[in-house]
Amino acid sequence: MKKQLLLRYGTVCQFEGFVTKGCFRLFTIDHEGNENVLYFAAKDWWVTDIDSFTNQTPAFLSIQALEDSEVLLVNKSDKELLYERMPKVEKLFRIMTQKTLVSLQRRLIRNHSLTAEERYQHFISTYPEIAQKLTNLQIAAYLGITHEFVSKIRKKISKGQ
Amino acid sequence: MKKQLLLRYGTVCQFEGFVTKGCFRLFTIDHEGNENVLYFAAKDWWVTDIDSFTNQTPAFLSIQALEDSEVLLVNKSDKELLYERMPKVEKLFRIMTQKTLVSLQRRLIRNHSLTAEERYQHFISTYPEIAQKLTNLQIAAYLGITHEFVSKIRKKISKGQ
């Protein structure tokens, strides 16, 4: 259900989820109450707080549905059993984790090396389907800029077209 | 050797390295020539551009020794062979990749939610041995702030003690 929380900050994440419909956002809230989006997870993406799930510690992240969504969940013991019984699952998750690591590394590099406008352009051209589901506020919380700045960039781009 | 490059930006990373002595920094250079440190790798850490190594594409990162260092290297085909012949290696790297992913996720969250001073405090308390090898400029390039600001924080802390 839209706006429903799949995971609430401070609880232990007991699942890895595979999104079969809809879209989720994974976010933190800082001291001043600002939301910061770590990433969005659309159809065919995995969704979890890997830190909390792996270490069974309280989550730093919350996970919320952006629209009516469906997700398949696997818990930690079932996942360990899968690894044990099917070595190919181990390989699959090793490769997937590697891919997630690569995309997080790229994101950190972009945060350092691109301007806010370049990051915005990169985001909407890489994930056009996700971007169209989002408000300026949600995109701003992902890019780490104000939503006024997102509006400004959007106006500038539409003028330029 | 100090300052020697293990990997140069723009070349394909042909190794994963295990640091047995010394310390390396992994960094990018932005359009304005500013260096941004993705992370430091000390003894017992792995060092690679996972993006370039996995996808065999030109590296975004450079890797440089901060002091006289030693590193054991494995290339891609040997690593694939290891995976094939020893399923436990697959598990080991799945778990290590997961840990790296967790630490990168934590870093992204800290970048959003902590002040520069809090990030500095976190860095020197988590990695005191690495921190003492570094100049203000190198720490600044890791925290994404100016080195003048690092000097300011250091002065403030030493006054407070």
Side-chain angles (χ1 to χ4, degrees), chain A residues 30-31, chain B residues 109-119 122:
Chain A
D30 67 18
H31 300 313
Chain B
I109 293 173
R110 283 197 305 274
N111 283 354
H112 277 309
S113 60
L114 300 186
T115 64
E117 189 169 333
E118 288 167 333
R119 296 206 303 276
H122 176 269

Side-chain angles (χ1 to χ4, degrees), chain A residues 115-139:
Chain A
T115 64
E117 190 170 333
E118 287 167 334
R119 295 206 303 277
Y120 175 81
Q121 292 277 19
H122 177 271
F123 178 67
I124 59 163
S125 62
T126 314
Y127 308 108
E129 285 174 23
I130 297 181
Q132 70 178 13
K133 295 176 198 268
L134 304 175
T135 63
N136 282 1
L137 200 63
Q138 286 163 340
I139 296 179

Side-chain angles (χ1 to χ4, degrees), chain A residues 12-31:
Chain A
V12 176
C13 180
Q14 304 291 5
F15 62 87
E16 286 194 37
F18 184 76
V19 182
T20 53
K21 189 187 142 193
C23 190
F24 293 86
R25 67 189 184 112
L26 290 85
F27 64 100
T28 59
I29 300 177
D30 67 18
H31 300 313

Side-chain angles (χ1 to χ4, degrees), chain A residues 49 51 90 94 105-106, chain B residues 49 51 90 94 105-106:
Chain A
D49 181 336
D51 191 351
E90 189 93 57
R94 195 258 305 157
Q105 175 173 311
R106 287 184 184 171
Chain B
D49 181 337
D51 192 351
E90 189 92 59
R94 196 257 306 157
Q105 175 173 310
R106 287 184 184 170

Side-chain angles (χ1 to χ4, degrees), chain B residues 39-125:
Chain B
Y39 61 93
F40 300 101
K43 188 173 177 295
D44 298 335
W45 289 42
W46 285 84
V47 68
T48 185
D49 181 337
I50 180 96
D51 192 351
S52 171
F53 181 72
T54 308
N55 302 312
Q56 293 289 291
T57 49
F60 287 113
L61 297 177
S62 295
I63 303 178
Q64 188 181 40
L66 285 175
E67 57 187 25
D68 287 353
S69 304
E70 281 170 16
V71 60
L72 304 173
L73 303 180
V74 60
N75 67 28
K76 201 167 158 73
S77 57
D78 283 350
K79 197 157 172 235
E80 295 296 334
L81 210 66
L82 268 175
Y83 285 143
E84 233 172 76
R85 300 215 177 141
M86 297 172 69
K88 280 190 179 164
V89 171
E90 189 92 59
K91 181 181 273 301
L92 179 74
F93 274 85
R94 196 257 306 157
I95 291 170
M96 284 195 336
T97 310
Q98 227 166 258
K99 284 189 178 169
T100 313
L101 183 58
V102 165
S103 65
L104 223 56
Q105 175 173 310
R106 287 184 184 170
R107 179 147 183 234
L108 260 169
I109 293 173
R110 283 197 305 274
N111 283 354
H112 277 309
S113 60
L114 300 186
T115 64
E117 189 169 333
E118 288 167 333
R119 296 206 303 276
Y120 175 80
Q121 292 277 19
H122 176 269
F123 179 66
I124 58 163
S125 60

Side-chain angles (χ1 to χ4, degrees), chain A residues 11-60:
Chain A
T11 59
V12 176
C13 180
Q14 304 291 5
F15 62 87
E16 286 194 37
F18 184 76
V19 182
T20 53
K21 189 187 142 193
C23 190
F24 293 86
R25 67 189 184 112
L26 290 85
F27 64 100
T28 59
I29 300 177
D30 67 18
H31 300 313
E32 290 160 8
N34 301 313
E35 292 188 0
N36 301 298
V37 173
L38 195 68
Y39 62 92
F40 300 100
K43 189 174 175 296
D44 298 336
W45 290 41
W46 286 82
V47 66
T48 185
D49 181 336
I50 180 98
D51 191 351
S52 171
F53 180 72
T54 308
N55 301 311
Q56 294 287 291
T57 49
F60 287 113

